[in-house]
Amino acid sequence: MLVWMILWISGVLGQTDMMEKLFAFRKRSTTSYVRLYAELSGPFVEATVCMRFHSNLTQSYCIFSLATPTKHDGFLLYYYPESNALNFYVSNTHLGYDLQDNNFTEWTSICATWSSTARAVWVDGKKYSGSGTPNKDISADPIIILGQQQDTYGGGFQLQDSIVGEMTDVNMWDKALTDDNVIDYFAGNEVSRNVINWKDLRYNLTGDVSIRPYVDPYPCEPV
């Protein structure tokens, strides 16, 4: 009981099934965020992050931030609504993607996958390809943050990077998912996760972040 009380006070809610729940960020700040605790400590030579979210912000914001002791942009997704461009960083090296007719004002599913030979972003099933990052890796002991961009390891938050919106179904793998894997994810099929698992999540809420019910506006029947 004492251990559970310590976890509850600190905000780390243990292993929690977050299915049909979401994180809601109500306003821009430097003090509101969610820290996710990885099941594997790395280092990683491949990785994939998939999630669902939406935001009506018209200024740039961070979607997903993983920092390591040596690289604050270890695995980063950052969006620019004014140009409809997404920057995908791995080990402080980025590729930019013009998302054309895609944007994130409605609920959107996104996957970002990376290896030494290929990098790609999928938005609602549409693939945007790019080159890999040879001789790069994501070093050990990552800190993973939702709601802010880490300009230092675990901190350095700036108001203009924060998000207003909602996030759900955040998952991470220590491998580059295949095209078929990603299509399965978008179709609602089970793709087992081993770094971050939304169905078995460890997290810590800080500031003005709430947990709310999530009802999928575009439900998929697994096939």
Side-chain angles (χ1 to χ4, degrees):
M1 179 63 73
L2 178 60
V3 171
W4 172 251
M5 287 299 294
I6 292 171
L7 290 173
W8 181 81
I9 292 169
S10 69
V12 180
L13 304 181
Q15 302 292 116
T16 304
D17 185 350
M18 290 290 290
M19 294 300 291
E20 300 183 355
K21 298 177 184 176
L22 58 78
F23 293 130
F25 303 85
R26 295 197 310 156
K27 61 184 180 181
R28 300 199 100 167
S29 77
T30 59
T31 56
S32 297
Y33 60 94
V34 180
R35 177 172 176 180
L36 305 182
Y37 292 85
E39 298 300 323
L40 301 176
S41 62
F44 306 111
V45 296
E46 298 183 354
T48 301
V49 169
C50 292
M51 60 195 297
R52 308 182 201 278
F53 78 102
H54 73 95
S55 174
N56 290 318
L57 280 176
T58 57
Q59 298 84 35
S60 58
Y61 56 87
C62 181
I63 300 168
F64 182 93
S65 175
L66 180 154
T68 69
T70 58
K71 299 287 175 59
H72 61 268
D73 291 338
F75 194 110
L76 173 72
L77 297 173
Y78 197 98
Y79 182 57
Y80 298 87
E82 58 274 22
S83 57
N84 201 24
L86 180 76
N87 277 358
F88 176 15
Y89 288 78
V90 174
S91 195
N92 284 12
T93 302
H94 85 276
L95 281 180
Y97 296 86
D98 177 1
L99 298 186
Q100 301 166 16
D101 55 343
N102 287 110
N103 66 68
F104 303 134
T105 56
E106 303 293 335
W107 275 107
T108 301
S109 295
I110 184 170
C111 286
T113 184
W114 154 77
S115 72
S116 62
T117 58
R119 194 178 339 190
V121 172
W122 295 71
V123 180
D124 282 342
K126 182 175 182 178
K127 184 178 182 180
Y128 300 85
S129 298
S131 59
T133 47
N135 304 316
K136 296 282 188 179
D137 64 13
I138 300 171
S139 59
D141 302 321
I143 292 179
I144 300 172
I145 297 290
L146 303 178
Q148 304 283 346
Q149 179 183 359
Q150 300 173 76
D151 286 338
T152 61
Y153 182 52
F157 305 143
Q158 299 187 53
L159 185 68
Q160 65 267 25
D161 299 326
S162 61
I163 193 172
V164 178
E166 297 176 327
M167 297 182 177
T168 190
D169 200 22
V170 183
N171 298 281
M172 183 173 179
W173 297 258
D174 68 341
K175 63 180 181 179
L177 294 187
T178 66
D179 289 1
D180 286 345
N181 291 152
V182 175
I183 290 169
D184 276 341
Y185 171 82
F186 286 125
N189 297 329
E190 180 66 24
V191 183
S192 77
R193 311 88 160 162
N194 62 350
V195 180
I196 297 294
N197 183 353
W198 193 250
K199 291 184 177 181
D200 199 18
L201 192 70
R202 291 190 301 147
Y203 61 91
N204 184 23
L205 302 183
T206 299
D208 188 8
V209 186
S210 59
I211 299 173
R212 298 176 183 172
Y214 170 67
V215 178
D216 191 342
Y218 314 110
C220 292
E221 290 294 332
V223 294

